[in-house]
Amino acid sequence: MVRQTRRVIVDHDSSGKAVVTADGPTPNVKLRQATGITSTQLWVTDRAQPDLSSSEDMSLRDVGVAPPANGNILRIVDFPPVSEMKAVDNAAMLKEMGLSADSHGGAASRSAFMHRTKSIDYAIVLEGEIDMLMDDTEVHLKAGDILIQKATNHAWVNNSQANCRIAFVLIDAQEPPAWKQTPGH
């Protein structure tokens, strides 16, 4: 079930006064077929210091999960319980997310959801609970928790019986030295 997110954009009018330029459901919502996860893209930039003079709705840009080079993404993701999901094909999931087939670092995957992005991610759990699996450990998060992730191999797995909603800010970063290593070798 796709849940709408109200998005309000505040900008300047032609006289320089602050005004609301958009208020309503976020238009760029994708139900990812490979996983059943819903991703609502609220905004995207492609530079560290974005040009604020444009009136373009940046949420409508077609990008994968990772932010554009030198850019960032704000999105909300709804994770249904894994008990309600069909079997996940990692290759299909990675392709749909716009990630390369080796985006989990070449290590044996603990989960079909495993992936990584060249970004620093701020994950804010808005509702529900979820487990973030890493190469050989995991962390349990619940509503109100905030996770800061530095380009690690991971999988989001909702083992609860209710939806989990997370707000993500992904900021493009330099490739970490750890990516040159293969975990477990």
Side-chain angles (χ1 to χ4, degrees):
M1 181 169 83
V2 176
R3 181 170 159 195
Q4 291 188 342
T5 299
R6 177 184 177 205
R7 182 190 62 166
V8 179
I9 300 173
V10 179
D11 201 346
H12 299 92
D13 67 11
S14 59
S15 69
K17 185 170 101 179
V19 296
V20 172
T21 58
D23 185 348
T26 303
N28 193 347
V29 178
K30 292 181 182 173
L31 176 59
R32 302 212 180 269
Q33 297 303 313
T35 59
I37 292 170
T38 301
S39 176
T40 302
Q41 185 167 287
L42 290 105
W43 205 255
V44 178
T45 70
D46 56 5
R47 54 180 91 168
Q49 294 183 327
D51 177 7
L52 300 179
S53 65
S54 172
S55 61
E56 177 186 359
D57 186 341
M58 300 299 281
S59 75
L60 297 176
R61 297 183 64 190
D62 189 23
V63 297
V65 169
N70 300 312
N72 64 68
I73 291 178
L74 169 61
R75 74 169 45 95
I76 292 177
V77 180
D78 289 287
F79 295 91
V82 292
S83 62
E84 296 177 7
M85 299 173 78
K86 61 182 181 181
V88 174
D89 175 270
N90 182 261
M93 179 199 73
L94 294 173
K95 182 177 180 182
E96 191 172 30
M97 292 171 70
L99 298 173
S100 67
D102 67 347
S103 75
H104 51 72
S109 291
R110 291 181 64 193
S111 165
F113 296 103
M114 289 300 255
H115 67 284
R116 65 183 181 184
T117 56
K118 186 180 65 71
S119 58
I120 183 163
D121 304 352
Y122 306 123
I124 303 142
V125 182
L126 301 173
E127 61 187 53
E129 56 186 275
I130 199 159
D131 295 309
M132 188 183 89
L133 307 182
M134 292 162 279
D135 293 317
D136 60 3
T137 188
E138 61 190 69
V139 62
H140 183 76
L141 303 166
K142 59 187 183 324
D145 291 344
I146 298 171
L147 178 127
I148 299 164
Q149 176 180 231
K150 297 169 63 178
T152 62
N153 196 29
H154 68 285
W156 295 102
V157 180
N158 181 352
N159 290 309
S160 77
Q161 297 305 309
N163 186 64
C164 179
R165 183 167 248 230
I166 303 177
F168 289 96
V169 176
L170 282 73
I171 302 170
D172 186 47
Q174 295 177 10
E175 184 175 302
W179 278 27
K180 303 217 183 321
Q181 302 168 353
T182 302
H185 292 94

